Amino acid sequence: MIGRRVLLAGGAAVLAAPARAETPHRIVAVGGAVTECVFALGVGDRVVAVDSTSRFPAAVRGLPQIGYMRALAPEGLISLNADMMLLSADAGPAQALAVLRAAGAPIRSIPEVPTGDGIAAKIRAVADALEVDGRPVADTVLADWQSLDAPIAALRPVRTIFVLSASRGAPLVSGAGTLAAAMLAAGGAQNVVSGYNGYRPLSAEAAAQIAPEAVVIMDHVLQEIGGIDALLAVPALAVTPVVRTRRVLAIDGSYVLSFGPRAAHARRDLAMLLHPGAPLPALPARAWT
């Protein structure tokens, strides 16, 4: 076994983690926003592996992949000999995290709060774990985010639904308590799906009642469905005003929904898709965008 050993304790196999160095130099980043934070803080060269949701910046594409953040395998993680594992609070499953903690793995859970203050807190949490100064990046991202608050609040909210998938008939749409719902609100949209948290199929009857003006969907999902015509042919969407307006807004999910260092710019881009020509302030290009 490379870089790890198996200890028997109480009849169960427990993975032994490597000793923690004073300053982390071998970092595993789990969660797209977490990975972006590491690179924005200038220590991306220390990252030795990332999960499949980590797609930015381009440098991550050549790094070893550990799989999906909600389906982590503890043995594979331990074998990387990391001296810091930065895990999104959404990472899992719980059993895998329990094994890692029992092994003494150097885990730091990073909070996921989809607000301007939450993004700044996320950046600071990553910086604290890596023993670097996160205030310049966190403060700049928060200032950019807040500069959009009043201009977007002055816009008429667009009645919108977020479609996660539609390949099996009824589209799966976002209710409350999701990153999609949070970004829709931040971008000047009214999520007209209400009454539940998470994602559920949308019936034609419910779609006709809520009458969305626009559909937001991830670009790769729209492509898999077969494009706008195929999407609007789905019975639940065929009864909505979107059939006439064709306001289907394709987004890069890893950009718009990550709530990381690029979040303020993503918020503005989404708001401009929803409100073409809106007088929103331009945001300066940042080193991490």
Side-chain angles (χ1 to χ4, degrees), residues 171-245:
L172 199 62
V173 298
S174 171
T178 64
L179 295 179
M183 189 53 91
L184 286 181
Q190 176 193 356
N191 182 12
V192 292
V193 177
S194 61
Y196 63 85
N197 290 344
Y199 292 89
R200 291 185 187 177
L202 180 68
S203 68
E205 180 181 7
Q209 184 175 7
I210 61 179
E213 300 172 89
V215 172
V216 174
I217 186 170
M218 289 184 284
D219 48 12
H220 74 276
V221 174
L222 182 61
Q223 183 178 5
E224 291 167 1
I225 292 169
I228 293 178
D229 289 337
L231 177 67
L232 296 181
V234 173
L237 298 179
V239 297
T240 70
V242 183
V243 169
R244 297 189 302 274
T245 64

Side-chain angles (χ1 to χ4, degrees), residues 63-258:
L63 292 172
Q65 290 271 335
I66 60 170
Y68 181 47
M69 61 181 285
R70 298 183 189 271
L72 300 177
E75 291 194 17
L77 284 168
I78 292 294
S79 71
L80 293 167
N81 290 317
D83 50 30
M84 177 55 66
M85 297 181 188
L86 296 172
L87 274 60
S88 162
D90 293 333
Q95 299 93 323
L97 301 185
V99 171
L100 290 170
R101 291 191 175 97
I107 293 175
R108 187 69 66 90
S109 180
I110 305 301
E112 295 283 357
V113 180
T115 63
D117 289 335
I119 296 161
K122 181 186 301 182
I123 295 168
R124 290 193 296 268
V126 172
D128 289 346
L130 300 181
E131 302 176 10
V132 298
D133 184 4
R135 289 172 297 178
V137 175
D139 292 350
T140 299
V141 172
L142 181 58
D144 284 347
W145 180 276
Q146 291 177 336
S147 73
L148 298 170
D149 285 348
I152 289 178
L155 302 173
R156 181 188 72 83
V158 177
R159 295 175 57 82
T160 307
I161 59 174
F162 178 85
V163 174
L164 181 66
S165 68
S167 58
R168 298 184 178 180
L172 199 62
V173 298
S174 171
T178 64
L179 295 179
M183 189 53 91
L184 286 181
Q190 176 193 356
N191 182 12
V192 292
V193 177
S194 61
Y196 63 85
N197 290 344
Y199 292 89
R200 291 185 187 177
L202 180 68
S203 68
E205 180 181 7
Q209 184 175 7
I210 61 179
E213 300 172 89
V215 172
V216 174
I217 186 170
M218 289 184 284
D219 48 12
H220 74 276
V221 174
L222 182 61
Q223 183 178 5
E224 291 167 1
I225 292 169
I228 293 178
D229 289 337
L231 177 67
L232 296 181
V234 173
L237 298 179
V239 297
T240 70
V242 183
V243 169
R244 297 189 302 274
T245 64
R246 296 180 65 82
R247 293 193 68 186
V248 176
L249 310 178
I251 62 167
D252 177 348
S254 64
Y255 171 52
V256 177
L257 303 179
S258 74

Side-chain angles (χ1 to χ4, degrees), residues 269-287:
D269 289 348
L270 176 61
M272 293 303 297
L273 283 176
L274 290 162
H275 306 273
L280 300 182
L283 297 181
R286 303 298 183 188

